[in-house]
Amino acid sequence: MSEGRNEDNEQQIARWLKSNPEFLQRHPELLSQMKMPDLHAGRAISLHERQLEVMREKHRQLEHRLADLMRVAQENDLIGEKMQRFTRQLLLHEERSSLDRRLIALLEEIFQVPQVGLRVWPLGAARLEPGLELPLSGDELDRVDQMQQPLCGSPAQKPGVIWLADRGQNARSVALLALRRGVEPQAFGLLVLGSADPDRFHAQMGTAFLQRLAELVSAALTPALGALWAKEKRPHAPSEPSQASDRSQPANA
């Protein structure tokens, strides 16, 4: 019971001091007489010293927070600059038939993505056309359709990883970007970014810039979809590497 009364009394005193801040102004000697333990040095210090210590700690925390914000801002500026360069190079590329290869080359050059895989496929009933070889299974296509944002993390059990160099054996982290025409629910393609660095594309990372990249690539490929799909269905001579094989390897391989 006594402990309960003490807690009630402490709360009443605390409320009274908050309601009467001028009390300590009228009795400044109490600030130096009231002693509190120093959390760092283990000695007793005055209330005034403790207040200064708390303010210094808050100041240090704010400095660290400001440094983090400045670092993030600088990183965002750099990514924004790369996005602008990437967009400009896409707009300058006039050969629609080679746009997919150009996309891969720009991703490797500007964003330093060491491994890139890209595939497109028809939409709707065209997926069921007899003789059409799709790059993913039906379940994998459904999984890509359900992706509302880029999927990052370990390459294990993720569709499209085998399109990367060495069939993705050297990839330790990947980012999957579903490609869509506007807001259509079905995806017409998948862009796979891979890295040997396990922290390059981790599951907890922000995906805002990756989403913008997916929208940009989708918009760039949309006018050329007919030609790209025609290349997918066209038979290739045995002596020539297929276009699908070209896109499964880095452009500088």
Side-chain angles (χ1 to χ4, degrees):
M1 294 293 293
S2 60
E3 291 182 0
R5 293 196 188 95
N6 289 337
E7 291 179 0
D8 291 340
N9 292 336
E10 290 178 359
Q11 293 177 1
Q12 291 177 3
I13 294 172
R15 287 195 297 267
W16 189 87
L17 288 174
K18 288 180 180 179
S19 302
N20 299 271
E22 69 280 359
F23 173 78
L24 292 177
Q25 295 178 357
R26 296 196 302 270
H27 302 277
E29 71 281 0
L30 294 178
L31 293 175
S32 58
Q33 294 175 359
M34 297 173 64
K35 300 296 182 179
M36 302 184 66
D38 185 349
L39 298 180
H40 302 290
R43 59 186 178 85
I45 59 175
S46 67
L47 179 60
H48 182 64
E49 290 176 307
R50 179 60 181 276
Q51 288 175 324
L52 290 177
E53 182 180 300
V54 170
M55 292 302 296
R56 291 192 188 101
E57 182 61 28
K58 288 184 177 180
H59 182 70
R60 284 192 291 268
Q61 293 176 359
L62 289 174
E63 284 185 333
H64 293 158
R65 177 60 176 163
L66 179 60
D68 289 340
L69 291 175
M70 292 180 64
R71 175 183 54 79
V72 171
Q74 292 172 350
E75 292 176 353
N76 288 343
D77 285 344
L78 180 59
I79 295 176
E81 180 184 345
K82 291 180 178 180
M83 290 287 285
Q84 183 179 17
R85 289 172 52 201
F86 182 76
T87 305
R88 182 176 182 275
Q89 292 300 318
L90 283 183
L91 293 173
L92 292 174
H93 187 74
E94 298 179 354
E95 294 292 333
R96 291 297 183 183
S97 61
S98 61
L99 181 59
D100 49 346
R101 294 194 299 272
R102 183 57 176 158
L103 277 167
I104 292 176
L106 289 175
L107 288 167
E108 294 173 339
E109 172 190 343
I110 296 177
F111 293 99
Q112 290 83 51
V113 180
Q115 302 180 40
V116 182
L118 171 65
R119 294 289 191 282
V120 298
W121 49 81
L123 291 170
R127 290 184 181 180
L128 306 178
E129 181 179 338
L132 179 65
E133 294 185 3
L134 296 174
L136 297 174
S137 68
D139 290 341
E140 289 175 326
L141 290 175
D142 291 340
R143 185 178 178 187
V144 175
D145 287 341
Q146 294 170 6
M147 288 173 51
Q148 299 303 314
Q149 61 184 10
L151 178 63
C152 302
S154 167
Q157 306 300 318
K158 288 186 172 58
V161 173
I162 60 173
W163 305 339
L164 301 176
D166 298 326
R167 298 180 65 84
Q169 294 182 7
N170 295 323
R172 295 296 177 267
S173 65
V174 296
L176 307 187
L177 284 63
L179 306 179
R180 289 183 172 84
R181 293 192 303 191
V183 295
E184 287 187 355
Q186 269 194 340
F188 69 75
L190 179 65
L191 178 63
V192 183
L193 310 179
S195 174
D197 181 359
D199 295 325
R200 177 72 185 271
F201 304 111
H202 57 86
Q204 286 75 38
M205 69 181 295
T207 59
F209 279 109
L210 288 175
Q211 181 62 36
R212 294 179 187 177
L213 181 62
E215 295 170 358
L216 180 58
V217 171
S218 298
L221 285 175
T222 295
L225 288 179
L228 290 171
W229 291 338
K231 286 192 299 181
E232 292 292 335
K233 293 187 290 183
R234 185 186 307 143
H236 299 279
S239 60
E240 296 180 0
S242 68
Q243 180 63 35
S245 176
D246 290 344
R247 289 202 303 273
S248 67
Q249 300 293 332
N252 59 357

